[in-house]
């Protein structure tokens, strides 16, 4: 039996951890800018790399990844894999739709990877490998992000007997895909930026 006195506070806490945006914080500290008003307008690694450089982008990526790892580990400790995953997905929701930033956040890729590395590290690493292959071949980070992230729930469907985990992983994949809806439109129209394109 799940203890709601533990589950509800942990999920709420996880959501607000997701609200913490390294890209916004670092952008303000380094350049005194709101990263969401520059480049693509997204508070994520790719836009930070374009606007503030690769070193800052990598720092943001690692911090966003850790932001997924910590709540998932806490949930895992207090309630097992399902609670770990629920806390992780709450963090991703908080990252994509942050209340403290007027619901204008990032796309959740790095944070989702952090959650995946806690819940099913082998599957997460396979997704990361597929991401890398797609980006190298197509130069589209968004396409690699979408397919790499969707790899995780697909692997869960074929390897996991726990239907709750399957459902949660599918929701996670749908969330990240939804956050890339504008990228998907540009991919279809042939106007999506590639790696190495001039800053826009």
């Amino acid at each position: 039996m799940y203890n709601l006195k533990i589950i509800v506070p942990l999920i709420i806490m996880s959501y607000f951890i997701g609200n913490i945006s390294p890209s916004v914080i670092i952008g303000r500290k380094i350049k005194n800018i709101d990263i969401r008003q520059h480049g693509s307008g997204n508070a994520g690694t790719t836009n930070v790399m374009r606007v503030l450089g690769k070193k800052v982008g990598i720092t943001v990526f690692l911090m966003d990844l850790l932001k997924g790892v910590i709540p998932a580990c806490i949930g895992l400790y207090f309630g097992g894999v399902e609670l770990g995953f629920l806390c992780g997905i709450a963090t991703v929701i908080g990252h994509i739709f942050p209340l403290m930033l007027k619901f204008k956040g990032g796309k959740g890729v790095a944070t989702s990877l952090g959650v995946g590395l806690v819940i099913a590290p082998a599957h997460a690493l396979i997704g990361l490998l597929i991401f890398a292959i797609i980006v190298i071949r197509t130069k589209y980070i968004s396409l690699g992000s979408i397919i790499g992230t969707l790899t995780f729930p697909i692997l869960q469907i074929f390897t996991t007997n726990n239907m709750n985990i399957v459902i949660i992983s599918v929701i996670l994949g749908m969330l990240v895909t939804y956050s890339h809806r504008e990228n998907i439109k540009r991919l279809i129209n042939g106007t999506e930026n590639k790696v190495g394109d001039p800053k826009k």
Side-chain angles (χ1 to χ4, degrees):
M1 181 68 68
Y2 291 113
N3 188 342
L4 292 180
K5 292 182 180 179
I6 294 176
I7 293 174
V8 174
L10 284 180
I11 289 177
I12 293 173
M13 177 200 71
S14 299
Y15 171 80
F16 282 103
I17 287 175
N19 277 227
I20 300 169
S21 177
S23 62
V24 173
I25 295 169
I26 292 175
R28 286 172 178 165
K29 289 290 183 181
I30 293 179
K31 292 285 189 179
N32 196 29
I33 63 170
D34 184 341
I35 193 68
R36 297 168 300 167
Q37 295 176 0
H38 296 266
S40 67
N42 183 257
T45 300
T46 304
N47 194 38
V48 171
M49 283 188 175
R50 286 197 174 112
V51 176
L52 299 177
K54 289 183 179 179
K55 289 183 179 179
V56 180
I58 291 170
T59 300
V60 167
F61 172 81
L62 292 174
M63 292 176 74
D64 279 340
L65 184 143
L66 189 62
K67 196 167 71 175
V69 168
I70 293 172
C73 284
I74 293 172
L76 192 66
Y77 177 80
F78 283 101
V81 175
E82 290 183 11
L83 183 55
F85 214 164
L86 283 173
C87 287
I89 200 170
T91 306
V92 174
I93 292 171
H95 177 86
I96 298 173
F97 307 109
L99 176 63
M100 294 192 296
L101 295 173
K102 299 180 180 179
F103 302 103
K104 190 177 179 183
K107 295 181 179 177
V109 177
T111 304
S112 296
L113 176 60
V115 175
L117 288 172
V118 173
I119 303 302
H123 293 171
L125 290 173
I126 291 171
L128 182 60
L129 176 62
I130 290 175
F131 160 82
I133 291 170
I134 290 172
V135 173
I136 290 169
R137 287 186 172 273
T138 69
K139 305 300 181 184
Y140 287 123
I141 292 178
S142 58
L143 183 62
S145 298
I146 295 166
I147 296 177
T149 302
L150 288 176
T151 299
F152 188 84
I154 291 170
L155 290 172
Q156 291 288 342
I157 289 170
F158 288 105
T159 62
T160 305
N161 293 324
N162 188 328
M163 188 53 63
N164 290 334
I165 295 297
V166 171
I167 291 170
I168 297 170
S169 66
V170 169
I171 292 172
L172 181 63
M174 291 172 63
L175 270 172
V176 175
T177 302
Y178 176 78
S179 74
H180 283 83
R181 59 195 180 280
E182 295 301 324
N183 302 88
I184 293 171
K185 291 178 183 177
R186 291 194 293 269
L187 285 166
I188 292 171
N189 294 332
T191 57
E192 178 71 331
N193 286 337
K194 292 185 176 183
V195 175
D197 281 351
K199 296 178 183 179
K200 294 181 180 179

